[in-house]
């Protein structure tokens, strides 16, 4: 996947933007998914098994480590720009 510039000045260091097909391949390999939307949006629907870490309130290295091991591959997703 090709890295793309962050939208709105937010970025996750080392993250790469991937396609839906690439995300599905990760999910098929049991990679952990972290949903960074807010809790009400998360409750409306999410990828099965995804963990919630609200980007504004909870998203930090400390909290990611609570969900996944230091060198474990993860997928972080949101609703998109805006």
């Amino acid at each position: 996947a090709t890295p793309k510039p962050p939208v709105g000045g937010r970025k996750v260091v080392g993250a790469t933007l991937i396609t839906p097909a690439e995300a599905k391949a990760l999910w098929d390999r049991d990679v952990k998914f972290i949903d960074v939307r807010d809790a009400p949006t998360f409750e409306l629907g999410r990828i099965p098994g995804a963990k919630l870490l609200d980007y504004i309130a909870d998203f930090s290295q400390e909290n990611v480590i609570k969900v996944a091991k230091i060198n474990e591959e993860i997928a972080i997703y949101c609703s998109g720009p805006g």
Side-chain angles (χ1 to χ4, degrees):
T2 303
K4 299 206 176 168
V7 175
R10 297 179 182 167
K11 69 177 186 174
V12 176
V13 175
T16 301
L17 186 63
I18 62 173
T19 66
E22 290 168 318
K24 173 70 167 75
L26 293 174
W27 192 80
D28 288 343
R29 291 190 1 244
D30 292 325
V31 168
K32 289 182 182 170
F33 277 70
I34 298 175
D35 188 322
V36 295
R37 301 172 300 161
D38 61 22
T41 307
F42 179 80
E43 290 303 322
L44 289 173
R46 62 192 160 275
I47 293 172
K51 303 295 182 191
L52 174 63
L53 285 180
D54 181 308
Y55 186 82
I56 302 299
D58 303 318
F59 192 77
S60 67
Q61 182 176 357
E62 179 181 327
N63 285 334
V64 170
I65 292 169
K66 292 177 184 176
V67 174
K69 295 177 183 149
I70 292 274
N71 292 317
E72 185 174 6
E73 186 175 25
I74 60 172
I76 302 166
Y77 72 95
C78 64
S79 300

